[in-house]
């Protein structure tokens, strides 16, 4: 297990982020957000966490996060062992924002590279929860072989959860896991390179 402090936090204008396909069909006018949103710190823990700094970007609308895991990769087959077949990385983000709001996640867009032969299948999931609030939201992406090359898959949550009301902070926990089966075939999935970050759409509402 590796533990590190989140070292790169960036707030960018909305136009500065390369925009993939729209995360959903809702009009932009529906995006309610506080005037001030800051990511003030965080940490990483897990077998899939990168050895270098992690990059978190929030666009100017405060409704989109980009997460880069530079070395998050799972693989199976010749020369691999159990620790290569399944990995996870738990990201904890400390957020500050204007009073009177709650935050939630809406969709995730998983972007990466997969090399899966016929008969192999991969799965990646991200589970979100907020410290002090009940429940969690899980987004699951299934990748079936044969497949080779870049991919982008957008997933919706099994349930929507909100941070608690009554404060100006929220701790968002994101546990991302990837695995491949069967483990006897040569296969690999890599997610979150700098050019293809994981995109998380977030939503705000008034308390």
């Amino acid at each position: 297990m590796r533990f590190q402090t989140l070292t790169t936090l960036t707030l960018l204008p909305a136009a500065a982020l390369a925009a993939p396909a729209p995360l959903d069909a809702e009009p932009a006018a529906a995006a309610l957000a506080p005037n001030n949103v800051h990511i003030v710190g965080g940490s990483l823990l897990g077998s899939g966490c990168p050895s270098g700094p992690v990059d978190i970007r929030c666009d100017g609308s405060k409704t989109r996060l980009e997460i880069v895991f530079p070395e998050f990769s799972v693989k199976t087959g010749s020369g691999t062992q159990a620790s290569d077949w399944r990995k996870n990385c738990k990201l904890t983000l400390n957020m500050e924002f204007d009073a009177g709001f709650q935050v939630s996640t809406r969709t995730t867009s998983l972007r990466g590279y997969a090399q899966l032969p016929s008969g192999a299948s991969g799965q990646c999931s991200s589970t979100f929860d907020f410290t002090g609030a009940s429940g969690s939201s899980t987004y699951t992406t299934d990748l079936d072989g044969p497949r080779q090359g870049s991919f982008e898959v957008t997933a919706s949550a099994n349930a929507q959860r909100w941070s608690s009301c009554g404060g100006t902070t929220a701790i968002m926990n994101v546990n991302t896991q990837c695995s491949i089966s069967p483990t006897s075939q040569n296969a690999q999935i890599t997610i979150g390179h700098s050019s293809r970050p994981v995109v998380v759409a977030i939503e705000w509402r008034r308390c």
Side-chain angles (χ1 to χ4, degrees), residues 101-182:
F101 284 89
Q102 291 175 282
V103 63
S104 178
T105 58
R106 294 167 51 226
T107 61
T108 63
S109 185
L110 190 67
R111 309 163 78 194
Y113 174 86
Q115 183 176 356
L116 298 167
S118 180
S121 62
Q123 184 179 88
C124 292
S125 66
S126 295
T127 298
F128 292 73
D129 68 76
F130 294 93
T131 299
S134 61
S136 61
S137 302
T138 299
Y139 302 79
T140 301
T141 298
D142 295 309
L143 300 169
D144 296 323
R147 175 192 290 266
Q148 182 167 345
S150 299
F151 67 85
E152 178 176 345
V153 181
T154 299
S156 298
N158 62 335
Q160 188 170 26
R161 306 296 183 184
W162 294 86
S163 63
S164 300
C165 274
T168 58
T169 63
I171 299 176
M172 179 190 292
N173 306 299
V174 188
N175 188 23
T176 299
Q177 304 180 67
C178 287
S179 63
I180 301 173
S181 64

Side-chain angles (χ1 to χ4, degrees), residues 45-56:
L45 179 66
S47 58
C49 292
S51 57
V54 111
D55 187 13
I56 307 295

Side-chain angles (χ1 to χ4, degrees), residues 64-83:
R64 172 184 164 111
L65 300 174
E66 290 189 352
I67 304 171
V68 177
F69 297 104
E71 298 177 12
F72 196 123
S73 183
V74 292
K75 56 185 178 181
T76 58
S78 177
T80 65
Q81 51 190 352
S83 58

Side-chain angles (χ1 to χ4, degrees), residues 27-33 61 63 204:
L32 170 72
S61 72
T63 61
W204 301 88

Side-chain angles (χ1 to χ4, degrees), residues 1-7 41-54 88-94 173:
M1 296 283 187
R2 300 188 183 99
F3 179 85
Q4 67 186 71
T5 300
L6 191 65
T7 58
S43 62
L44 288 173
L45 179 66
S47 58
C49 292
S51 57
V54 111
N88 84 293
C89 187
K90 182 177 180 181
L91 169 65
T92 300
L93 288 178
N94 300 313
N173 306 299

